[in-house]
Amino acid sequence: MEKKNVTTLTMIHLLGFQIAHNLTFFIFCLLFIIYCVIICGNLLIITLVSYSKTLHSPMYFFLSQLSLSDILLATDILPNTLHAVLMKETIISFSECITQFYFLSVSGTLECLLLTVMCYDRYLAICKPLHYNLTMNFQFCCKMVIACWVSSASIALIHTSTMSQLKFCGLNIIDHFFCDLDPILKLSCSDTTIVQLEVTLLSSLLVVIPFFIIIVSYVYILITIFKMSSITSRQKVFSTCSSHLTVVCIYYGTLVFVYLIPRSGESWNITKFLSLLYTVATPLMNPIIYSLRNRDLNKAIDEIINHCLHLICCK
């Protein structure tokens, strides 16, 4: 690849996964199936929440927004990844690379905020049941969701605006399957200290603090659960939180593995694999976890299937 010492970069080469030729078709099919499952699974949740009156509650409203965020994340990453698998590399413009990073930042931040809002919803429902209906009304839920989307879009815009002001004149090669923060900064011939400091501060604000709020909320939830005298009530209340808690553990666990644990001397192939955890595995697992562990969603699916069968039989 050509090294550009003076000229500003205009094209980026994403190397993708360096896999054996005989595995190319298998990996492509696997990722394509995963992408289809992610889209269909999350669209199913959005459709169920919109269709079924039994799911017209704050918890499922926030869940539908989480599914929308997962669709955004998967669509931002996987189409280019599929192209890179087939072609061994993919060439995109620098503006497309920055745009991909922007939507990656939006979906990542949005996921953190929505998981926090969902946790607050569970906290009120379990620990403050008398105030729940008064606090968690439709207007409040809409305001919370709008605040999450606006905050995510604004923070991501700050990241990308600051990054776009850097000078990029190094090798135009990114040994990754998408445009992440560190690979992009490695292309810069400017001082990236301000960008890294900005990202660290904003990440602390929108990732660490929400995670802390989730932990504290679940401490209060667990205390409330253990105070319940009925074992049946304990199991019922805990079952309403188990899906959300599982998703939180998967999502934040992958972020810790990818960004917080030092991996000196680690190959880029392992870094790519770890990145798959939150860009692909998390959007894939969210609808599966909620659909398998939630009776209301399963009941809504049965209602839709029976309704469709009834329409077919009538014809």
Side-chain angles (χ1 to χ4, degrees):
M1 301 296 174
E2 182 183 357
K3 186 172 182 178
K4 302 183 179 182
N5 296 318
V6 179
T7 307
T8 302
L9 293 182
T10 57
M11 304 303 294
I12 302 294
H13 292 252
L14 290 173
L15 297 184
F17 295 97
Q18 303 303 306
I19 56 178
H21 182 73
N22 58 346
L23 292 176
T24 298
F25 183 72
F26 171 76
I27 298 297
F28 175 84
C29 291
L30 178 63
L31 290 177
F32 180 75
I33 292 172
I34 289 175
Y35 181 53
C36 291
V37 172
I38 290 173
I39 299 299
C40 293
N42 285 288
L43 280 178
L44 177 62
I45 289 180
I46 295 172
T47 304
L48 290 175
V49 173
S50 302
Y51 170 82
S52 178
K53 293 182 179 180
T54 59
L55 301 181
H56 290 175
S57 65
M59 180 175 70
Y60 295 109
F61 176 61
F62 295 137
L63 177 59
S64 66
Q65 296 299 310
L66 187 67
S67 294
L68 192 59
S69 174
D70 287 336
I71 291 174
L72 174 64
L73 176 59
T75 304
D76 183 44
I77 299 297
L78 281 175
N80 271 341
T81 303
L82 290 169
H83 182 270
V85 168
L86 279 182
M87 307 305 296
K88 301 302 181 184
E89 67 173 21
T90 187
I91 301 175
I92 62 174
S93 67
F94 184 76
S95 59
E96 288 175 335
C97 187
I98 293 295
T99 302
Q100 186 184 57
F101 174 74
Y102 171 77
F103 285 107
L104 174 69
S105 300
V106 170
S107 57
T109 305
L110 180 61
E111 189 115 356
C112 292
L113 295 178
L114 286 174
L115 289 174
T116 307
V117 171
M118 292 172 73
C119 182
Y120 179 66
D121 171 71
R122 292 299 83 205
Y123 165 76
L124 285 179
I126 296 170
C127 301
K128 307 286 183 181
L130 297 179
H131 302 280
Y132 181 76
N133 290 330
L134 182 63
T135 304
M136 277 293 175
N137 53 54
F138 179 74
Q139 287 184 342
F140 180 77
C141 293
C142 288
K143 289 179 181 178
M144 293 291 285
V145 167
I146 292 173
C148 289
W149 277 96
V150 171
S151 299
S152 301
S154 301
I155 295 301
L157 185 61
I158 293 173
H159 287 337
T160 52
S161 297
T162 307
M163 187 183 300
S164 61
Q165 294 175 6
L166 298 173
K167 292 182 179 179
F168 294 90
C169 51
L171 286 172
N172 58 345
I173 301 171
I174 290 181
D175 189 8
H176 214 314
F177 63 95
F178 66 95
C179 294
D180 204 357
L181 177 66
D182 287 340
I184 294 176
L185 292 182
K186 288 182 183 296
L187 302 179
S188 176
C189 51
S190 304
D191 185 6
T192 61
T193 305
I194 296 178
V195 177
Q196 293 173 333
L197 180 61
E198 179 184 275
V199 170
T200 301
L201 291 176
L202 292 177
S203 297
S204 300
L205 180 65
L206 292 174
V207 177
V208 177
I209 293 178
F211 182 65
F212 177 76
I213 293 173
I214 291 172
I215 294 298
V216 172
S217 298
Y218 268 108
V219 169
Y220 281 103
I221 289 173
L222 289 174
I223 291 173
T224 303
I225 290 175
F226 287 126
K227 285 182 179 179
M228 295 178 179
S229 57
S230 172
I231 297 178
T232 304
S233 298
R234 290 182 186 178
Q235 293 175 341
K236 183 178 180 180
V237 171
F238 187 76
S239 65
T240 63
C241 300
S242 59
S243 297
H244 177 261
L245 187 58
T246 303
V247 170
V248 167
C249 292
I250 291 175
Y251 185 69
Y252 278 97
T254 55
L255 289 183
V256 168
F257 270 110
V258 174
Y259 293 109
L260 298 183
I261 294 180
R263 299 188 301 274
S264 57
E266 184 180 275
S267 71
W268 270 106
N269 284 331
I270 297 178
T271 302
K272 295 175 192 177
F273 173 76
L274 292 174
S275 298
L276 281 173
L277 293 177
Y278 76 96
T279 57
V280 177
T282 302
L284 175 67
M285 293 303 298
N286 284 357
I288 294 175
I289 291 171
Y290 276 105
S291 61
L292 289 178
R293 302 177 65 89
N294 193 290
R295 293 180 181 178
D296 292 334
L297 282 175
N298 290 327
K299 184 177 179 181
I301 293 174
D302 291 338
E303 288 177 357
I304 290 181
I305 293 174
N306 291 333
H307 179 70
C308 292
L309 291 175
H310 177 71
L311 291 177
I312 293 173
C313 291
C314 289
K315 290 181 179 180

